[in-house]
Amino acid sequence: MTAPPLDDTYFMKQALAEARTAASEGEIPVGAVIVCNNQVIARAHNQTELLNDATAHAEILAVTAASGTLGAKYLTECTLYVTVEPCVMCAGAIGWAQLSKVVYGAGDEKRGFRRYAPQALHPKTVVLSGVLEAECAEEMQKFFRERR
Ligand SMILES: [Zn+2]
């Protein structure tokens, strides 16, 4: 047995696992992990209900945790994997933290940053979209289907 390749799909699966944890806790199913040197250094999911905090998005919590782990405010060597396109607020946080790469699964036409704030990220940040897009979108659709 060889170890699984540590590629974008592999890490997005970890973010998806976080999203599923969120759903099981009644939270909107968005999950995120931050990877540095092929290692997950932070994982988080949306906790707006638990914390009664509209800003407790997965990306914000992950950035805060990763900065704590590294003891650094800038995450320039890190990649964020998130199941859904970051909102404007999170894109701002990702920009401040200067992550080198952002990979997301499903796009978000209504709240995603690409429509409203395409310049919010650091100019050097590489963005990749559509990794496990169907699975990531399905988590969101399933969640809202069950609630409406
Ligand atoms: Zn957000």
Side-chain angles (χ1 to χ4, degrees), residues 30 46 54-60 84-91 111:
V30 180
N46 185 33
T55 71
H57 287 187
E59 303 94 309
I60 300 278
V84 179
E85 180 184 350
C87 70
V88 172
M89 172 184 74
C90 290
R111 307 300 292 264

